Amino acid sequence: MARKALGPRLTPAKAKNLLGVAKVVGPVLIPVLAPFAAKAAGLVSDRYDHYRARRLGVGVEDLTKYTGKGARLHARIAGFAQALDELRAKDADYVTETESRLVKLAAAVRAAERMPTPRRKAAHRAVGADLDVLENELLRRLGVS
């Protein structure tokens, strides 16, 4: 209550004085603080890249391969293709058939990038559902489920 009686905390005269101080101190502090700010920005960028890579399930070095709205689906398709390599010796026919299906799914995801949002989301849901079925079959053939 006592502060309200004293008036506003920042008056035009105080603001003018602060600007004067900033004009004098600013050029001295900027060269000192700039390296710290640059290092902090780099750290934030690195953390964000690790976060995105973890969400996609890929390594940070592979992050640039999976961009756009369909990045998650592209990463799933690539991971699925790698898992098929383990089954190639046992069931080559299944692997060949599934790889051709994965090529079509990847093309559908790429085509969906240029679609309007509702159609793109519907296409991504359809591809995701198809991948779920393929992954369940792969797990069954690998003896996991």
Side-chain angles (χ1 to χ4, degrees):
M1 289 246 223
R3 284 192 182 211
K4 287 185 181 179
L6 294 176
R9 295 172 77 177
L10 186 64
T11 63
K14 286 183 182 178
K16 188 176 180 182
N17 286 341
L18 284 173
L19 284 174
V21 170
K23 285 180 182 178
V24 172
V25 175
V28 173
L29 287 180
I30 288 176
V32 173
L33 296 179
F36 294 112
K39 188 174 182 179
L43 184 64
V44 168
S45 175
D46 186 52
R47 296 283 180 180
Y48 183 65
D49 286 347
H50 279 83
Y51 166 76
R52 285 180 42 221
R54 193 170 49 251
R55 282 188 66 201
L56 291 175
V58 298
V60 177
E61 62 279 354
D62 294 333
L63 192 59
T64 57
K65 294 179 186 175
Y66 309 108
T67 59
K69 302 288 186 182
R72 283 186 177 175
L73 290 171
H74 281 298
R76 275 183 73 187
I77 290 169
F80 190 88
Q82 289 175 350
L84 280 177
D85 289 337
E86 296 179 20
L87 194 61
R88 188 174 307 278
K90 293 180 186 175
D91 195 353
D93 292 336
Y94 168 75
V95 171
T96 305
E97 177 184 319
T98 305
E99 283 177 336
S100 69
R101 183 69 184 141
L102 289 179
V103 169
K104 292 175 185 174
L105 291 176
V109 173
R110 279 193 305 278
E113 291 290 327
R114 291 175 278 304
M115 291 180 183
T117 302
R119 288 187 64 203
R120 184 188 68 241
K121 287 183 178 182
H124 284 181
R125 277 193 301 274
V127 170
D130 204 2
L131 275 174
D132 289 341
V133 171
L134 290 174
E135 287 169 346
N136 286 336
E137 177 62 19
L138 176 67
L139 291 175
R140 187 187 68 73
R141 288 178 184 264
L142 290 172
V144 175
S145 61

